[in-house]
Amino acid sequence: MPLAVDAVLTIQRFVNAVFLVYILLILIFILLSWFQLPYNVWLDRFRSFLYDVCDPYLRLFRRILPAVRLGGVGLDLSPIVGIIVLEIARRVVLRILDEFL
């Protein structure tokens, strides 16, 4: 296998992993926001890390897409839209990298 092909495959795997890890972090951020967990120093640090990593990206979609009101409950659709946009971007980037093969 030529060196260039191996490099492109490595880049594809890396890009794929980065996108999937970010989607996973968003999903964990969503799940942790549903539950009121007791205070723990490490859990609080992990939550603040997730907030610092996920919230700026999700805020882009919250500006465009306001929360939906269902009675007394607000439903935030920005994580769903954010994950869909990330998945589309992942496929586009991988398709572009596929052209180099």
Side-chain angles (χ1 to χ4, degrees):
M1 182 180 319
L3 188 61
V5 172
D6 189 41
V8 171
L9 287 174
T10 303
I11 292 170
Q12 280 182 329
R13 287 187 199 115
F14 177 76
V15 166
N16 193 37
V18 167
F19 275 102
L20 292 178
V21 165
Y22 199 69
I23 289 171
L24 181 66
L25 288 175
I26 291 173
L27 291 173
I28 294 170
F29 179 71
I30 294 167
L31 288 175
L32 285 179
S33 71
W34 289 349
F35 302 107
Q36 190 68 22
L37 299 174
Y39 178 78
N40 183 325
V41 173
W42 294 105
L43 183 60
D44 189 48
R45 288 180 184 169
F46 183 66
R47 277 187 165 185
S48 66
F49 166 76
L50 286 176
Y51 180 81
D52 291 343
V53 170
C54 297
D55 202 55
Y57 174 69
L58 295 178
R59 229 179 296 137
L60 296 171
F61 301 106
R62 286 187 190 126
R63 289 181 193 158
I64 301 168
L65 197 70
V68 177
R69 294 283 174 201
L70 299 172
V73 178
L75 182 63
D76 185 15
L77 299 176
S78 63
I80 296 170
V81 175
I83 289 173
I84 291 171
V85 168
L86 277 176
E87 183 61 28
I88 292 170
R90 181 181 74 89
R91 290 181 185 205
V92 167
V93 170
L94 291 177
R95 179 98 19 124
I96 289 170
L97 288 173
D98 235 4
E99 295 297 321
F100 289 108
L101 292 178

